[in-house]
Amino acid sequence: KMAAGEAAGRYRSSMGKSKDPSGLLISVIRTLSTSDDVEDRETEKGRLEEAYEKCDRDLDELIVQHYTELTTAIRTYQSITERITNSRNKIKQVKENLLSCKMLLHCKRDELRKLWIEGIEHKHVLNLLDEIENIKQVPQKLEQCMASKHYLNATDMLVSAVDSLEGPLLQVEGLSDLRLELHSKKMNMHLVLIDELHRHLYIKSTNRVGQRNKEKGRLSSLVKDVSPVPLMDVTNLSTPRKFLETSQFSTPGSSSMRDTSLLEMKEDAELDPEENSTVFMGILIKGLAKLKKIPETVKAIQDRLEQELKQIVKRSTTQVADSGYQRGENLSQENQPR
């Protein structure tokens, strides 16, 4: 009995000190295990039942006192639980939708890449069709340029067309006749340019000198100057060599025609291309360079040099003879009484 009393005292003291249910349970187990008497155990059981009943009464009273708050808390807890559940379901659905979108985007990306490649192919085909359309007009434009003696534009057009026909458009069977025609014209184009170069180099330059002497002769006859015709000063004549030499040492600020580099020469469609022989010969040389026919041009100039110089001497002799005869006629007419 003394042991049971001590156990009951320890139980009560543990009840007063600790509110932990596990500590209470351990204390009861110790009490029951240390007591050997059935009466003590029954007493302990009664106390436990009394304590449980007291707890139930206290709990009921607390529920009655805080019913409203408890009901609100329970409802709030239920609402929160439902919201969490709904949020989880929505997040799950969003994840599924994102995976579906990812798959669709992969498909769209492949489709867009295919459309992009097709767009590039169509653009290339359209460029080729435009180029074919422009090349078909080359023979007519080439004829117009040759007729107006805009040889640099004609050369650029012809070289570009032949390069396209023998390059990107080589597999187009419908352009075979045009390819042969333009290739033949390109092979013979340099002959026309060489002829024009010789005409300006030997004929046009000497014609200008003869024309200038005729004008001097007319002026001298008007002032009745019977002094002999002065010798021709050929040191100031502009030649392609002098043109190139002066262009190499030209000053950047100068606007003189001689200060224009051969590489910077361009044709003006509005002006007469033969107005300035020096520029025209420079354009002819540039066209021959584009045709890669400079060696043939040099050889042709060397082969025809002697013949052309003889023709210059022959024409100059004829002009001098005609000028002298005309001056004699003028003198004889002035001595007539009438």
Side-chain angles (χ1 to χ4, degrees):
K1 287 184 180 179
M2 288 295 294
E6 291 176 0
R10 287 196 300 271
Y11 168 69
R12 282 191 294 269
S13 63
S14 63
M15 283 286 291
K17 292 179 181 178
S18 176
K19 298 277 176 90
D20 189 3
S22 60
L24 177 60
L25 181 60
I26 292 173
S27 177
V28 170
I29 292 172
R30 285 177 180 173
T31 304
L32 292 176
S33 62
T34 54
S35 61
D36 298 331
D37 193 355
V38 177
E39 185 179 352
D40 291 338
R41 293 179 181 176
E42 290 294 332
T43 304
E44 187 68 26
K45 179 180 177 184
R47 286 174 181 156
L48 286 174
E49 289 177 350
E50 183 181 354
Y52 276 119
E53 289 176 359
K54 186 177 183 302
C55 285
D56 288 338
R57 288 194 302 270
D58 292 342
L59 183 61
D60 291 339
E61 289 176 1
L62 290 173
I63 289 174
V64 170
Q65 292 176 4
H66 302 282
Y67 179 77
T68 305
E69 291 84 351
L70 183 62
T71 305
T72 305
I74 292 174
R75 289 178 180 175
T76 304
Y77 180 76
Q78 289 177 348
S79 174
I80 292 173
T81 305
E82 290 177 358
R83 289 183 181 180
I84 291 175
T85 305
N86 292 334
S87 299
R88 286 179 177 175
N89 294 332
K90 288 181 180 179
I91 289 174
K92 183 179 179 181
Q93 186 177 1
V94 167
K95 286 183 178 180
E96 293 176 354
N97 291 336
L98 285 175
L99 290 174
S100 176
C101 289
K102 187 177 180 181
M103 294 297 296
L104 291 174
L105 285 175
H106 277 293
C107 298
K108 289 290 184 184
R109 184 182 64 179
D110 296 337
E111 186 177 353
L112 286 173
R113 183 185 292 111
K114 182 180 177 182
L115 292 174
W116 176 66
I117 294 174
E118 289 180 357
I120 293 177
E121 292 175 353
H122 289 319
K123 185 177 180 180
H124 183 64
V125 171
L126 286 175
N127 291 335
L128 289 179
L129 290 175
D130 291 340
E131 192 172 355
I132 290 173
E133 190 66 28
N134 293 331
I135 286 177
K136 285 184 177 180
Q137 300 175 3
V138 166
Q140 181 181 358
K141 293 181 179 179
L142 186 64
E143 186 177 351
Q144 295 174 355
C145 289
M146 295 297 288
S148 61
K149 295 191 176 183
H150 290 95
Y151 294 117
L152 188 57
N153 292 337
T155 303
D156 289 335
M157 190 188 311
L158 185 58
V159 171
S160 175
V162 172
D163 289 343
S164 296
L165 289 172
E166 294 180 353
L169 303 178
L170 183 61
Q171 304 299 326
V172 182
E173 296 295 335
L175 298 175
S176 57
D177 294 338
L178 183 61
R179 187 181 297 110
L180 292 175
E181 178 186 355
L182 294 181
H183 185 74
S184 175
K185 288 185 177 181
K186 181 184 176 184
M187 295 301 294
N188 297 321
M189 182 75 167
H190 69 287
L191 300 177
V192 179
L193 300 185
I194 290 174
D195 288 339
E196 287 289 338
L197 182 61
H198 278 88
R199 188 170 65 84
H200 273 262
L201 192 60
Y202 296 110
I203 299 176
K204 287 281 277 188
S205 58
T206 54
N207 283 345
R208 286 200 305 273
V209 175
Q211 186 67 26
R212 188 167 58 185
N213 287 333
K214 285 183 181 180
E215 293 175 356
K216 288 182 179 179
R218 283 200 300 270
L219 290 174
S220 62
S221 63
L222 289 176
V223 297
K224 295 184 180 181
D225 183 10
V226 293
S227 60
V229 179
L231 296 175
M232 287 190 298
D233 183 12
V234 297
T235 57
N236 293 325
L237 288 179
S238 60
T239 63
R241 180 178 294 275
K242 290 182 180 180
F243 177 82
L244 292 176
E245 288 175 353
T246 53
S247 65
Q248 290 175 358
F249 303 102
S250 59
T251 56
S254 176
S255 60
S256 173
M257 185 62 68
R258 290 188 178 185
D259 292 333
T260 306
S261 173
L262 183 64
L263 297 176
E264 298 174 355
M265 280 188 174
K266 294 181 180 179
E267 281 184 326
D268 191 348
E270 305 292 331
L271 301 177
D272 182 11
E274 295 186 281
E275 183 176 356
N276 190 320
S277 288
T278 305
V279 174
F280 186 70
M281 284 188 286
I283 287 175
L284 291 175
I285 294 172
K286 189 174 182 180
L288 289 166
K290 288 180 178 292
L291 292 171
K292 299 180 180 178
K293 296 293 184 180
I294 293 296
E296 288 84 348
T297 305
V298 174
K299 187 175 183 302
I301 291 176
Q302 290 176 346
D303 293 342
R304 295 170 59 173
L305 180 60
E306 184 177 357
Q307 177 186 355
E308 295 291 346
L309 290 177
K310 287 181 180 179
Q311 290 294 328
I312 289 176
V313 173
K314 183 177 179 180
R315 287 195 303 272
S316 301
T317 304
T318 306
Q319 289 177 2
V320 171
D322 291 344
S323 176
Y325 177 77
Q326 185 64 37
R327 189 164 61 254
E329 288 290 327
N330 292 336
L331 291 175
S332 62
Q333 288 179 5
E334 288 173 3
N335 293 330
Q336 295 293 330
R338 59 184 176 81

